[in-house]
Structures are given as structure tokens and as C-alpha cells.
Amino acid sequence: MRAFVLPAARSTPVFAEVAAVPPADDEVTVRVEASSVNAFDLAVLDGRLRSLEHRYPVILGRDFAGVVTAAGAGVRRFAAGDRVFGMTARPYVGDGAFCEQLTVPAAAPDEATWMAALPDPIGMQDGGALATAAVAAVRAVTAMRPRPGWAALVVGASGGVGSYAVQLLARAGARVTAVTRTERGAAHLRDLGVHDVLTEAPAGRDLRYDVVLHLGGEVRRAAGCVVPGGRLVSLLHAGPADAGRPDVDVRSVLGRPDLGVLNDLAQDVAAGRLAVPRTDTFAFADLPAALRAVRAGTPGKVSVRMGKP
Ligand SMILES: NC(=O)c1ccc[n+]([C@@H]2O[C@H](COP(=O)([O-])OP(=O)(O)OC[C@H]3O[C@@H](n4cnc5c(N)ncnc54)[C@H](OP(=O)(O)O)[C@@H]3O)[C@@H](O)[C@H]2O)c1
């Protein structure tokens, strides 16, 4: 099958023919119909995740949506023909989603099962732009514990995670302000319903927020925007010592998925309560252009239409 791979450390990604892996007893194989680009993919390409085991050739990509084509003998939850979405779930960097046939664990609804049914109303392109960014947004917003009427600031809001987070915060009743450095990002956020969009995190003491979500830029700058006794949540591994605000509750969270979160997200999208913030779609053969588009600051989710490159 065709896959988009990193052949070796410090190499350039290429399309290559790799062997499709038949499912083990606890796995399913999915014909990948859609994917999207995440910050994670750029981090792998840039060699910023070398502390994790890499199995070369590394098939890049994390998010997927598609149709189950084969299920191992121990799999009860899925069968051939099921529409599914999720993110690759290996404890190493390697068997990613930028390929035609993806084999993933699926036997039981435990923490290794990062795949859920994709309800019929959700198109494949939306399904492929959902898991990684939306789950991270759910985890972050849950940790923020916003209350109705609270002032919430999202720094680095125009990207995939931010585009979901501003919607979740608004649904929780928070008054949302978003920070993006570009006019394109600002227009995108206004399209998502955010009225207050700033071009940089406010530095003065007059503008203070009850909760701040840190998705980009200097954490100290973001922490400077929190009211004393307020909360800052970072997806960039920033902790209390980095934030320099002993009077603020600083939490670093991870975008760990579970089946319940994936199912809730699918229900929200299917019911129109959550918009998938897709801004551009590229063919599989144009993946290098999709990656360049994300690097160039395309806001929201950049989607990839899979199939023969
Ligand atoms: N720990 C986890 O489990 C986890 C999970 C998912 C994501 N993440 C991390 O969360 C971050 C957001 O993810 P994403 O998918 O939304 O990424 P993304 O689509 O690349 O968006 C990144 C955002 O950060 C802003 N930004 C980048 N550099 C900045 C800087 N120097 N100063 C201010 N803003 C800056 C960009 O805003 P502009 O509009 O200003 O360009 C953009 O809105 C990424 O760093 C990603 O690695 C972590």
C-alpha cells in the first residue's frame, strides 16, 4: 500500500510502498478515507520527539476516519463495513495514519482503544479532523473548569485545538477572548463565533481573566493575564515553575483520549453542537503541500482526502 513515510532519522518524508499489516486477534484494519495534519506530525518531522521510540520507516499521521475492512477474532466492538474515526494508538512513533490501510488495536474499550464509531451524519473529512485536536481541547477545557460568566482567554486560539476549545468554552457559558497573531486567524475565530479577538496576549494588569488556556507563545505572558487565584491550563507542558505565578493554579494537561470522550465528540458534531473547524482540504498526493500550509499558519484544521495518491 502507499504511505507517506519518514525513511530514517533526519530524512525527508516521501511516498513509499509498504506492506499492509493484517490485524492480530485484538486489532482491526481500517481503509483510511480521511486524515488531517496535527502539530504532532510537524514535531515528528522536525525531530522534536526523538525521546520517543521511532520505528522506521515511520508512517506519519495521527488522525483517521475510514471503514473497517477486517477485524481480528477477538474484536467484538467493530466489524467489516463499520465507519470509524480516531487516532493511532501505538506506544511508539511509526504506524501512523497517512496510509491506505491502517491496523489498530480495537478489542476492548480500554485506554488503548482510541477509535470510535463515526455516526452517519458526519462526513469522512470531518471525522478525520476530529480526534487529536478535539480530545486535547476537551481535556484542556475540563481542567479549566469554566463557570458561566467567567472571562476565559485562549492564547494560540486559531489552531486545531484552539478552534475546538473556544467553542467548548462558549458552550460552558464563559465569555471567550481569543489571541491569534494573524488577520487570517482572527477572521477564522470570528467565523467560529468569537467576538473578542486580540493580536497578542494583553500585558497590562487591567485586563485579567479567570481562566487562561495556553496553546502557543510564552507561558509567562499568558500567566500574566490570569486574575490572582485564577487558573492557567497549558497543553505545552508548562508547569507552575515556568509560569512564575505562585498565586495562580497552573496545570499541564495531556490530550489523552478515551472511548467516552470520542463518543461524546461524535454525538456533539452529529447534533450540530460542535463545528469541525476545517479550513482547507488536500489530496493524499498533496500531503507535502498540506504540511506546508499548516507551517505557514493556515488556521483551523487542514484536512487530507486519502485514497490512491
Ligand atoms: N500535550 C498534548 O497532549 C497535546 C495535544 C494536542 C496538542 N498539543 C499542543 O498544543 C498546541 C496547539 O495544538 P494545535 O494542534 O492547535 O496546533 P496548531 O494548529 O499548530 O496551532 C498552534 C497555535 O499556536 C499559535 N502560536 C504558535 N506559535 C506561537 C507563538 N510563538 N506565539 C503565540 N502564538 C503562537 C498559533 O497562533 P497564530 O494564529 O498566532 O499563528 C496557532 O494558533 C501545539 O503546540 C501542540 O503540540 C499538545
Side-chain angles (χ1 to χ4, degrees):
M1 67 167 177
R2 291 294 270 177
F4 191 61
V5 306
L6 206 51
R10 296 175 182 79
S11 61
T12 303
V14 292
F15 287 101
E17 206 60 40
V18 299
V21 182
D25 277 1
D26 61 347
E27 294 179 330
V28 298
T29 297
V30 176
R31 183 180 69 242
V32 184
E33 297 199 357
S35 185
S36 63
V37 179
N38 286 291
F40 179 87
D41 304 317
L42 300 184
V44 173
L45 280 171
D46 295 345
R48 282 183 273 130
L49 296 181
R50 290 217 183 94
S51 57
L52 302 177
E53 181 192 354
H54 284 49
R55 294 194 187 167
Y56 295 101
V58 161
I59 301 179
L60 296 157
R62 195 157 160 87
D63 281 338
F64 64 89
V67 176
V68 173
T69 54
V75 176
R76 298 280 170 272
R77 297 175 50 234
F78 299 102
D82 287 354
R83 301 171 86 244
V84 292
F85 79 105
M87 69 179 87
T88 52
R90 304 293 187 183
Y92 55 86
V93 178
D95 299 329
F98 292 159
C99 63
E100 293 171 298
Q101 301 281 335
L102 176 67
T103 296
V104 285
D110 61 18
E111 63 178 19
T113 307
W114 295 359
M115 182 170 87
L118 185 67
D120 278 338
I122 307 179
M124 284 291 174
Q125 293 307 137
D126 279 352
L130 193 51
T132 301
V135 167
V138 168
R139 294 296 191 213
V141 170
T142 302
M144 290 168 87
R145 288 193 267 138
R147 299 222 182 120
W150 276 15
L153 181 72
V154 182
V155 184
S158 73
V161 178
S163 298
Y164 284 113
V166 295
Q167 298 182 66
L168 297 172
L169 286 164
R171 264 176 55 197
R175 291 179 288 118
V176 182
T177 302
V179 179
T180 172
R181 298 165 300 173
T182 68
E183 194 40 55
R184 217 168 150 202
H188 167 72
L189 287 159
R190 288 193 197 97
D191 282 349
L192 289 173
V194 183
H195 300 296
D196 294 324
V197 182
L198 308 174
T199 51
E200 61 178 28
R205 287 184 169 267
D206 48 337
L207 264 179
R208 288 287 183 91
Y209 295 85
D210 300 298
V211 280
V212 171
L213 175 54
H214 169 235
L215 299 172
E218 282 293 319
V219 67
R220 279 182 185 250
R221 176 97 187 202
C225 304
V226 189
V227 293
R231 189 172 298 125
L232 177 130
V233 168
S234 175
L235 265 174
L236 303 185
H237 310 289
D242 309 301
R245 281 288 304 272
D247 59 334
V248 165
D249 175 13
V250 177
R251 291 164 190 230
S252 171
V253 299
L254 293 175
R256 281 193 72 82
D258 65 35
L259 193 58
V261 172
L262 290 174
N263 280 332
D264 288 351
L265 285 166
Q267 294 310 319
D268 283 347
V269 172
R273 292 187 291 265
L274 184 69
V276 176
R278 282 197 295 120
T279 47
D280 213 343
T281 301
F282 290 79
F284 189 14
D286 295 329
L287 243 170
L291 294 166
R292 284 196 298 275
V294 174
R295 282 194 199 281
T298 300
K301 289 295 298 174
V302 169
S303 169
V304 184
R305 197 172 49 252
M306 303 298 289
K308 286 274 175 218

